[in-house]
């Protein structure tokens, strides 16, 4: 019984290591792209915010403080949307095959 259990654990461990390698590559790639995208997004927001504040102040005659407050609210809303989308992209089940195999093996061992 101990040899059977050790063999099952070994098989599931190998499966988990393979699955972890795939998940790790996916997560590292996703995080690198997310970081690059956030950096570029921050730069473009800074440039666009500056241009919009100048336009609000000079073109529409707003005061500097109301224009900056409007930009702050807009930036906050866009940041919330971007973080929500990033959270959805990074969400997901990990080690799906390993967990399914462990559940199946446990059920077989328990006699269910």
């Amino acid at each position: 019984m101990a040899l059977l259990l050790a063999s099952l654990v070994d098989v599931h461990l190998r499966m988990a290591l393979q699955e972890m390698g795939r998940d790790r590559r996916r997560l590292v790639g996703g995080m690198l792209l997310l970081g690059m995208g956030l950096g570029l997004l921050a730069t473009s927001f800074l440039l666009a915010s500056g241009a919009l504040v100048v336009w609000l102040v000079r073109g529409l005659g707003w005061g500097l403080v109301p224009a900056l407050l409007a930009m702050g609210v807009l930036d906050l809303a866009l940041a919330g949307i971007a973080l929500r989308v990033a959270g959805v992209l990074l969400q997901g089940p990990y080690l799906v095959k390993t967990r399914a195999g462990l559940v199946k093996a446990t059920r077989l061992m328990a006699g269910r």
Side-chain angles (χ1 to χ4, degrees):
M1 188 66 167
L3 288 174
L4 178 63
L5 185 60
S7 175
L8 274 173
V9 168
D10 189 42
V11 167
H12 290 299
L13 181 62
R14 273 193 236 124
M15 209 175 3
L17 289 172
Q18 288 174 350
E19 219 171 347
M20 286 261 302
R22 284 191 302 271
D23 284 346
R24 185 183 65 227
R25 283 188 296 274
R26 179 174 62 95
L27 286 173
V28 167
M31 292 300 287
L32 286 175
L33 288 174
L34 180 65
M36 185 175 70
L38 286 175
L40 292 171
L41 186 65
T43 302
S44 66
F45 276 153
L46 285 173
L47 294 172
S49 295
L52 190 55
V53 166
V54 168
W55 179 73
L56 287 173
V57 171
R58 288 188 179 175
L60 297 181
W62 286 27
L64 183 59
V65 173
L68 289 174
L69 286 173
M71 285 308 306
V73 169
L74 179 64
D75 286 347
L76 186 62
L78 291 175
I81 292 168
L83 290 174
R84 179 67 183 137
V85 169
V88 168
L89 290 176
L90 291 175
Q91 200 172 2
Y94 304 109
L95 301 175
V96 176
K97 291 179 184 177
T98 302
R99 287 193 305 180
L102 284 173
V103 167
K104 185 176 178 181
T106 304
R107 285 185 181 155
L108 284 173
M109 299 282 287
R112 290 191 231 171

